[in-house]
Amino acid sequence: ALRINYPLMLSRNDGSCPVQEALHVQALPTLILLDRQGRILWRGEGATPATLARLDHMIASATNTSASRVTR
């Protein structure tokens, strides 16, 4: 019950995924947060509670920044 509420890309580690190659994924799972322009905002390896908490924090920060830009 991870309660993930954002898009995910899943891939096997068999070297056949061009996105995996472009993002230089070396370990699974690798978590990469992209902005709407495709820029990497954050990346982490492993799905530990600490890594997932950092990802959630980065998503909240990115969402708050985006929301404040829209309301100005």
Side-chain angles (χ1 to χ4, degrees):
L2 293 175
R3 298 183 300 208
I4 297 171
N5 60 358
Y6 38 83
L8 298 174
M9 184 188 102
L10 303 175
S11 174
R12 296 181 306 188
N13 194 19
D14 63 4
S16 65
C17 178
V19 175
Q20 187 174 341
E21 290 176 24
L23 295 173
H24 307 286
V25 173
Q26 300 296 314
L28 295 177
T30 295
L31 310 169
I32 302 173
L33 178 61
L34 304 171
D35 67 10
R36 292 183 186 270
Q37 290 73 40
R39 293 179 297 228
I40 296 174
L41 299 176
W42 178 87
R43 71 184 295 139
E45 293 180 355
T48 65
T51 303
L52 295 174
R54 285 192 291 274
L55 175 59
D56 287 340
H57 175 76
M58 290 301 298
I59 290 170
S61 296
T63 302
N64 289 338
T65 301
S66 298
S68 65
R69 287 185 195 151
V70 170
T71 59
R72 289 183 186 175

